Amino acid sequence: MSYAVIYDGNCNLCANFVSILEKCDRGCLFGYIPMQDVQTLQQFKVTSEDCEMGMILINREDPTQRWQGSDAAEEIVRLLPVGSPLISAYRALAPLKKVGDAAYVQIRDHRYQLFGKRDRTYHTAYPIGCAVKTEE
């Protein structure tokens, strides 16, 4: 697992996205941390304020490489086997990217109203826990 995906484990949309991603990736590239796992987030120097800005993707081999919000979603898709050409085309169309970024913000800020809130935090089959690579 080269990347850590930090997601809202109480959001139905987020949990369903991660569930689909799990089935596609099977833990090869991505491990997952729900935003509710404060202890693990601290290992990555991610605060609850950071989480308020949306999904986060962290390169575990170089933790200074981070993407957030719509950029994180784009990078996740880009890393998938057939995702790179799709994301390159999407990013090349500036108006489309601008609309996508704005839509992400609206969905992020209203996700519970739009998609519902789970009774329990969704935990994946490919979690990242105490085995975090640290810089020496």
Side-chain angles (χ1 to χ4, degrees):
M1 295 180 226
S2 300
Y3 295 89
V5 176
I6 301 171
Y7 66 99
D8 182 348
N10 293 340
C11 167
N12 282 326
L13 175 65
C14 306
N16 288 332
F17 173 74
V18 166
S19 177
I20 291 167
L21 192 54
E22 284 178 294
K23 288 177 180 121
C24 295
D25 180 59
R26 300 190 185 273
C28 292
L29 279 176
F30 304 110
Y32 307 91
I33 308 166
M35 291 177 180
Q36 293 73 21
D37 184 351
V38 176
Q39 186 175 359
T40 303
L41 293 178
Q42 288 173 347
Q43 296 173 29
F44 285 94
K45 297 178 175 56
V46 172
T47 66
S48 55
E49 290 81 18
D50 295 331
C51 292
E52 289 176 16
M53 300 309 296
M55 158 192 315
I56 302 169
L57 178 67
I58 300 173
N59 181 338
R60 293 185 70 201
E61 295 172 8
D62 179 3
T64 63
Q65 282 191 316
R66 294 177 177 223
W67 299 264
Q68 185 149 27
S70 59
D71 292 335
E74 291 170 24
E75 188 64 15
I76 289 167
V77 173
R78 189 191 70 77
L79 291 165
L80 294 172
V82 295
S84 189
L86 294 172
I87 292 301
S88 293
Y90 170 77
R91 287 176 174 164
L93 299 169
L96 186 58
K97 168 112 174 82
K98 199 175 223 179
V99 169
D101 291 348
Y104 182 91
V105 169
Q106 290 302 310
I107 291 168
R108 176 198 70 202
D109 292 347
H110 301 96
R111 63 188 177 274
Y112 296 142
Q113 297 92 337
L114 294 169
F115 301 100
K117 186 173 182 178
R118 302 173 65 85
D119 293 333
R120 292 187 294 170
T121 300
Y122 177 74
H123 294 277
T124 76
Y126 306 98
I128 292 179
C130 58
V132 176
K133 182 176 181 178
T134 58
E135 295 181 33
E136 296 179 357

